[in-house]
Amino acid sequence: MVDKVAGAAAPALPVGVIQRDDGVFLDLSAPAPVLLGAINHIFQNDAYLAGLDYPLLMRALFQAGPPLPAPIEGTTLVRVADAVVLFDPERRALYRAVKIRDGVAEYFFEPVFFDAVELPDGTLIPERPTKLDFDEFVAELWCKGVRFGVDVANVKAAIASVRGERCTAARRLEPTPGQDAHVVEVSQDIHRSDAPREKSDGRLDLLSFQNRFPQIQQHMRLLRKMPSVPGEPGVELSGLPLQPGPPADLDFKRLAGAGTVIERHPDGEFLVAAQVGFLNVDTKSGQISVHDKIISRDGVSSRTTGNLALAGGFEEFGDVQELRAVDGSDITIHGNVFGNIHSSGGEIVLGANLVGGSAFNTKGNIRVKGVASGATLQTRDGDIHIAGRAESCIITGTRVFIDAASNCEIVADEVRIGLAEGCAIAARRIDIESCGPRKQSEMLMLVQVPNLGALDEELAELAGKAAALEQWAAQFRQQADQITALPQVRGYLALTAQLRKGELTLTPEQGPQLQKMAAAVAPQLKTVGELLQKVKAAESQQVLRREQAEALLQRKRAMAGQAHCKLQMVSGETLVRSMPLSADGETMYHLPAKDCKTFLRGPHVGYQTIFAGTCGALDWTYSAEQD
């Protein structure tokens, strides 16, 4: 294509663009607006740049993309293309409209043909296949308002493809956000230590702290202000710049309380202690002050200091006494726990026994290496592991693993127990090696089965839509067949098919006759084309509905298979029932501890019995077909 048109007279090149024997060059000494106007002049005057280096052009015009190569020695010229070539109107007609939305330009690439033409001697040349050209495509997009962001690899791949597809032709360059001004800590000595003070016998005194108020030395740097960093601009498809939002500044002075000053040094701006004293942080305003004496607003008494409220991890080598509470995250207690442990995350590890107390973790695991007796263990998102026995406990968590449990109420997503006696368990998956009653407490298990009603409704709806689409496609196809069966339409189609295959050649006298035949059947052919488009659309929608139905069916089977109960050995009266989950999918193990016994031991209306017996084994998996 380039060789054929290159000899035609190209438009006069504007300032900033130079055509030489070895290619087209941009003069980098010209300002970017001048170069932009020059390129626009070429494209707007029905020409394009053959052999275009598109990334280099974008860098020269909009300063976006890889760096420019070094200019030719002794000049300010860089090579951008092979030649400036006139845009053949016949080829320009091959290009369609581009769809621009939300900073993305989409183009439908499809096989293209030159229109059939009649030569002066009356010879009719049928339509001929051809391909789009990337360099022409760039010029065409430019004239349609897309001056930046063409996806070179994507466009070239789409042009080379033999099938029609809509793909992203260009995308704007989003601005890079800047970095807000912020504060960083300079000294680790400003942190409080909420760890308990160690006693002479190695245990920890839970009523006092090691270093509640850190001591600060004069001239110590406490905080440093990191200045804001502006972002990098982007480029719109039209070539207009997209400016990033300004980064936020920080009023550093508002953090300086009594006993501190702001100092500016060559290496930055710092909050510095003006005197020796103790650090105090106002949790509401974030203001930091240094006083020559400790300031406390909480009081010192058994009521305010008897329980620990820790900001971070905590490790205890002694016991946690009855009615005492430890709040924090990532808590390890090596002694016995008779009180209450509350963690906001991390892991709770109890190295001995949990007796009469509680362990609650908002998000994380709970591990008990000893015995849990008369206790409550709960985690909203995590596992509970009890290596020893669990007796008369309420246990709720995502997954529960116990060596031996008796007379416990357990609600979880998955439960695995070695020996279970007299327990009430509700879970989606239950795996117990041996189970049976204990004294007056029955052995009860509720297997949570999914509520598949909503999925069944969706499947029925998709099946109905697919059937309707199939009926419409058959109706449109029948109408098209009736039209193409008409004698004049059938004859015209057969004749044009022979011409395309080269089996027939028209004489100059026969060309006008073929045109008359085409004009006579044009309305019928148009109707057939519209009907076939409707058939194609209906079949496409039908395939989509079937794919959606298959995905829903696989999802339904997967959800059903998650409900499972395996009892390797039953020793005594045991009852297993299926418990349908609520339609809203509410997680059962998020129940408050006080409601667990009522939920498990209360009446089970509508539950179906899976197993009821005194011996044997069970390996049951819920199937969607059971509904």
Side-chain angles (χ1 to χ4, degrees):
M1 180 58 195
V2 172
D3 295 336
K4 179 179 179 181
V5 185
L13 297 182
V15 175
V17 181
I18 299 173
Q19 173 77 66
R20 306 195 328 182
D21 292 339
D22 53 344
V24 179
F25 293 79
L26 294 181
D27 187 354
L28 297 184
S29 63
V34 173
L35 296 178
L36 181 63
I39 298 300
N40 185 62
H41 176 82
I42 293 173
F43 289 153
Q44 294 293 345
N45 282 275
D46 298 327
Y48 66 94
L49 295 171
L52 173 64
D53 188 335
Y54 186 79
L56 188 150
L57 180 65
M58 293 299 99
R59 181 68 184 184
L61 299 182
F62 306 108
Q63 293 74 52
L68 292 171
I72 297 178
E73 185 175 357
T75 71
T76 57
L77 303 179
V78 293
R79 188 177 186 278
V80 72
D82 295 335
V84 178
V85 182
L86 284 177
F87 204 155
D88 187 354
E90 185 180 24
R91 286 197 56 81
R92 187 157 219 157
L94 299 174
Y95 294 88
R96 304 293 182 258
V98 62
K99 182 179 180 181
I100 302 175
R101 182 177 60 184
D102 297 331
V104 176
E106 293 183 344
Y107 188 89
F108 186 76
F109 292 91
E110 59 183 348
V112 292
F113 301 85
F114 288 121
D115 293 334
V117 296
E118 182 179 359
L119 300 179
D121 59 359
T123 301
L124 180 65
I125 300 178
E127 62 181 13
R128 294 154 293 156
T130 185
K131 280 188 172 292
L132 303 182
D133 179 78
F134 175 77
D135 299 332
E136 295 176 348
F137 187 82
V138 170
E140 181 68 14
L141 285 191
W142 184 287
C143 295
K144 291 177 178 176
V146 180
R147 299 186 173 187
F148 175 83
V150 173
D151 190 331
V152 178
N154 211 23
V155 170
K156 288 185 176 180
I159 290 176
S161 177
V162 297
R163 59 188 181 89
E165 61 177 342
R166 180 177 296 278
C167 71
T168 298
R171 188 184 302 273
R172 71 184 175 201
L173 177 64
E174 299 292 345
T176 303
Q179 186 178 26
D180 296 340
H182 58 285
V183 172
V184 295
E185 297 174 356
V186 179
S187 173
Q188 294 297 321
D189 294 334
I190 67 175
H191 290 284
R192 290 176 173 174
S193 175
D194 287 335
R197 181 179 294 122
E198 186 175 355
K199 296 181 179 180
S200 58
D201 59 359
R203 294 189 303 167
L204 296 180
D205 182 5
L206 300 183
L207 298 180
S208 59
F209 301 92
Q210 288 183 1
N211 187 16
R212 178 68 176 179
F213 302 96
Q215 189 171 11
I216 304 299
Q217 302 300 318
Q218 189 177 13
H219 305 307
M220 179 184 289
R221 292 179 174 181
L222 306 177
L223 301 176
R224 179 183 180 184
K225 177 183 177 181
M226 304 301 294
S228 60
V229 179
E232 295 292 334
V235 185
E236 186 57 83
L237 292 178
S238 63
L240 295 176
L242 290 174
Q243 297 299 333
D249 198 5
L250 171 69
D251 184 8
F252 200 28
K253 293 182 179 179
R254 69 176 181 81
L255 299 180
T260 64
V261 294
I262 302 293
E263 293 183 358
R264 293 175 176 83
H265 298 275
D267 56 341
E269 188 175 5
F270 297 88
L271 178 67
V272 179
Q275 63 182 37
V276 176
F278 296 91
L279 183 71
N280 185 70
V281 180
D282 189 336
T283 57
K284 293 183 178 179
S285 64
Q287 189 178 70
I288 295 178
S289 56
V290 176
H291 298 272
D292 56 359
K293 59 181 179 181
I294 294 175
I295 299 177
S296 177
R297 296 179 177 86
D298 297 330
V300 179
S301 67
S302 60
R303 181 180 61 84
T304 57
T305 60
N307 297 325
L308 290 178
L310 308 175
F314 175 62
E315 186 174 8
E316 165 63 54
F317 287 88
D319 298 338
V320 177
Q321 298 300 321
E322 188 178 0
L323 302 180
R324 294 295 177 224
V326 177
D327 292 347
S329 64
D330 219 359
I331 299 172
T332 299
I333 308 294
H334 294 284
N336 296 314
V337 176
F338 304 95
N340 303 311
I341 308 298
H342 185 287
S343 178
S344 59
E347 190 172 41
I348 296 177
V349 179
L350 306 183
N353 304 315
L354 174 63
V355 181
S358 66
F360 180 86
N361 201 345
T362 303
K363 186 174 183 180
N365 300 336
I366 300 175
R367 297 181 181 272
V368 181
K369 297 181 179 180
V371 173
S373 177
T376 300
L377 300 93
Q378 290 185 290
T379 175
R380 298 183 65 85
D381 184 9
D383 300 347
I384 296 178
H385 295 260
I386 302 177
R389 302 186 313 277
E391 302 172 349
S392 303
C393 295
I394 297 176
I395 304 171
T396 65
T398 307
R399 289 167 294 275
V400 174
F401 306 90
I402 307 174
D403 182 51
S406 63
N407 197 32
C408 293
E409 281 77 37
I410 304 172
V411 182
D413 188 65
E414 180 180 352
V415 173
R416 293 184 183 180
I417 303 176
L419 172 63
E421 296 178 323
C423 295
I425 302 172
R428 186 168 50 176
R429 299 184 66 85
I430 300 175
D431 190 342
I432 300 177
E433 295 180 10
S434 177
C435 62
R438 178 178 176 82
K439 296 182 179 180
Q440 302 302 320
S441 298
E442 64 175 347
M443 187 66 205
L444 170 65
M445 281 160 281
L446 304 177
V447 184
Q448 300 172 356
V449 298
N451 189 329
L452 304 176
L455 291 179
D456 291 335
E457 293 178 2
E458 291 186 52
L459 285 170
E461 182 180 355
L462 288 173
K465 291 181 179 180
L469 288 168
E470 184 176 2
Q471 183 178 359
W472 292 342
Q475 180 180 349
F476 296 146
R477 193 179 293 107
Q478 181 181 7
Q479 294 175 2
D481 292 342
Q482 291 175 353
I483 296 175
T484 55
L486 296 175
Q488 57 182 0
V489 177
R490 185 174 65 252
Y492 175 77
L493 293 176
L495 179 59
T496 54
Q498 290 177 321
L499 290 174
R500 280 196 298 270
K501 295 178 182 178
E503 298 175 356
L504 291 178
T505 302
L506 295 180
T507 65
E509 294 79 11
Q510 292 173 328
Q513 297 178 359
L514 181 62
Q515 293 180 351
K516 290 181 180 179
M517 292 178 63
V521 299
Q524 291 88 344
L525 293 179
K526 180 179 179 181
T527 302
V528 170
E530 293 174 350
L531 290 171
L532 293 180
Q533 286 293 331
K534 293 180 179 179
V535 170
K536 184 177 180 181
E539 290 176 343
S540 176
Q541 289 295 316
Q542 187 180 9
V543 171
L544 178 62
R545 296 296 184 269
R546 287 173 177 171
E547 291 176 350
Q548 292 174 341
E550 180 62 26
L552 282 177
L553 186 58
Q554 294 297 331
R555 180 183 170 191
K556 177 181 176 181
R557 290 170 179 168
M559 291 176 62
Q562 293 174 351
H564 177 73
C565 181
K566 183 178 181 180
L567 309 178
Q568 298 183 29
M569 183 175 66
V570 175
S571 301
E573 187 174 351
T574 299
L575 178 63
V576 181
R577 290 176 173 173
S578 65
M579 179 187 69
L581 288 173
S582 58
D584 56 6
E586 181 182 358
T587 304
M588 292 293 101
Y589 57 82
H590 287 176
L591 280 173
K594 61 183 179 63
D595 297 333
C596 287
K597 179 170 288 190
T598 304
F599 167 69
L600 292 169
R601 303 288 187 181
H604 302 146
V605 180
Y607 294 6
Q608 295 183 358
T609 299
I610 300 172
F611 176 89
T614 58
C615 61
L618 175 67
D619 192 349
W620 176 86
T621 300
Y622 179 68
S623 172
E625 283 69 24
Q626 294 178 217
D627 292 340

